[in-house]
Amino acid sequence: GLGTVSVNGPAGGTVLVEVCDIGDNNDTRLANVSARNEVGTGDNILIAGFVVTGADPKNMLIRAVGPGLERFIGAGFLADPLLKIFDADNNVVATNDNWSPSLQPSFDLTGAFSLTNLSLDAAIVLTLPPGRYTAQVSGADGGTGQAIVEIYELP
């Protein structure tokens, strides 16, 4: 089923939330994970780690949404997110600054909410071999604000 984790506290800090499927049923898979947070500068960017498992590469949709949050949160969103995908050796394997409307069919396929054409949100579809990765979201222009990073496995 669907679930949400919310972490709150009296002071700022770094929080790690992990979701793992360790069941015996091979039909079970985690199809999406997302996290919303304040994106700062330097070491205070939004980072989400994920693992591609199995023997075969998987098609992934990864998004960094800032302007697309306006309809949900009003002001305070990251105006121009920059998305970078790193492998376990800290090599950049993909980067995106502004998404392409040609990705809308992938949004529809995964159930991801639509983005406004020509928004400065970031999104990329890529095929990743099994391994460990991080999706890192920062301000393309050095800006700060709320953003969400979303990682979907495409069917």
Side-chain angles (χ1 to χ4, degrees):
L2 299 174
T4 299
V5 175
S6 179
V7 180
N8 299 302
T14 302
V15 175
L16 173 66
V17 176
E18 295 183 291
V19 178
C20 303
D21 174 17
I22 57 172
D24 292 335
N25 183 346
N26 288 333
D27 294 331
T28 303
R29 69 182 181 89
L30 180 64
N32 163 253
V33 65
S34 62
R36 187 183 115 195
N37 203 359
E38 182 74 22
V39 176
T41 59
D43 290 339
N44 296 315
I45 62 173
L46 177 54
I47 301 172
F50 63 101
V51 177
V52 175
T53 60
D56 299 319
K58 293 191 175 145
N59 295 320
M60 309 294 291
L61 165 64
I62 304 173
R63 307 191 326 167
V65 179
L69 291 179
E70 182 176 23
R71 64 183 162 191
F72 302 111
I73 67 170
F77 58 86
L78 181 64
D80 188 4
L82 174 64
L83 174 64
K84 292 183 180 180
I85 310 302
F86 291 84
D87 66 14
D89 295 321
N90 208 32
N91 297 309
V92 176
V93 296
T95 186
N96 183 265
D97 186 7
N98 299 319
W99 76 286
S100 167
S102 66
L103 297 179
Q104 186 61 50
S106 293
F107 298 177
D108 296 340
L109 193 59
T110 60
F113 62 86
S114 296
L115 299 175
T116 303
N117 282 345
L118 304 178
S119 73
L120 298 180
D121 297 295
I124 191 166
V125 170
L126 67 162
T127 302
L128 294 174
R132 298 182 323 264
Y133 298 91
T134 59
Q136 299 186 12
V137 181
S138 60
D141 57 359
T144 62
Q146 289 283 317
I148 188 170
V149 61
E150 302 173 310
I151 302 164
Y152 296 88
E153 180 184 333
L154 290 165

